[in-house]
Amino acid sequence: MIKIQIIDDIRAQIPFEFMMVVGFSLIITISLVISFADSNELNQAMTASRTGALDGSISDGLAIYPMDAFNEYNMGHVRLLNPASVKILKIDYINQGFSQKYRKTKIQLRIHASSPHCTDKSDRNCMGDRINFYARKKICETFHTENLTNTFFNPAFSNNYVFTTTDVRWE
């Protein structure tokens, strides 16, 4: 014969300990979700800038430009009208802290590129401007903030960040 013994928990320690574990787990989970959401937004913006920079490098590499850029390059940067290889090496960023002007955290992107066929500094500046333009544009398209910026997408906005670019570093 098997005896079943029921233990009365008069002091209610088991539910109290359970509630403590659940409470701490909930606090930790909420804090992790908030920090992951912020870093996810930054990762998403960096991915968008990488895609945009690649679009800009393809445009530069294939010498495909809008008509106004083509006319400008035809006058002063004839070398850019011929195809050349442009490679995006890396993109890093500098967190410049909270911007009172925009009420968001300001991030400055720095794109590193390489183009062995183009050695003229002014031509590289033109190529770099196009690469930066496409990087900022893609960030705005990703976060649907095209209406918050100017025609050059400078600065580019996400929900919690404002993005600017510095001159492309050529290596």
Side-chain angles (χ1 to χ4, degrees):
M1 186 166 174
I2 301 175
K3 283 187 170 183
I4 299 176
Q5 188 177 25
I6 299 176
I7 302 174
D8 289 331
D9 191 9
I10 299 171
R11 290 176 271 156
Q13 278 186 320
I14 294 175
F16 179 72
E17 290 168 353
F18 178 73
M19 294 294 279
M20 291 291 288
V21 169
V22 169
F24 284 129
S25 298
L26 189 61
I27 291 169
I28 291 171
T29 302
I30 290 172
S31 63
L32 287 175
V33 165
I34 290 170
S35 68
F36 286 148
D38 283 344
S39 60
N40 183 41
E41 181 179 342
L42 188 55
N43 286 336
Q44 193 175 4
M46 292 302 292
T47 301
S49 69
R50 175 91 176 157
T51 303
L54 289 172
D55 289 348
S57 70
I58 289 170
S59 170
D60 284 337
L62 296 176
I64 300 173
Y65 305 110
M67 187 54 89
D68 58 338
F70 177 81
N71 291 335
E72 179 187 336
Y73 295 165
N74 200 19
M75 295 174 138
H77 303 282
V78 180
R79 170 67 188 100
L80 296 179
L81 299 178
N82 298 313
S85 68
V86 179
K87 183 177 179 182
I88 302 299
L89 302 175
K90 71 177 179 175
I91 300 176
D92 54 14
Y93 68 91
I94 300 168
N95 184 335
Q96 295 182 322
F98 188 78
S99 169
Q100 291 296 331
K101 180 178 180 181
Y102 299 110
R103 314 294 269 157
K104 297 176 186 244
T105 302
K106 188 174 181 183
I107 303 290
Q108 185 179 52
L109 301 174
R110 184 173 44 212
I111 300 171
H112 300 260
S114 170
S115 180
H117 297 93
C118 183
T119 56
D120 183 61
K121 185 175 174 133
S122 65
D123 288 348
R124 283 188 171 186
N125 282 338
C126 291
M127 293 171 73
D129 289 345
R130 182 146 314 277
I131 290 169
N132 281 335
F133 167 80
Y134 278 101
R136 293 187 309 264
K137 179 181 177 188
K138 188 55 90 173
I139 291 172
C140 288
E141 289 172 351
T142 300
F143 293 99
H144 307 292
T145 58
E146 297 95 330
N147 60 335
L148 299 177
T149 187
N150 60 24
T151 57
F152 298 110
F153 302 99
N154 193 19
F157 295 97
S158 70
N159 299 329
N160 297 310
Y161 298 98
V162 57
F163 296 91
T164 59
T165 53
T166 185
D167 289 340
V168 171
R169 295 209 177 175
W170 294 95
E171 298 173 16

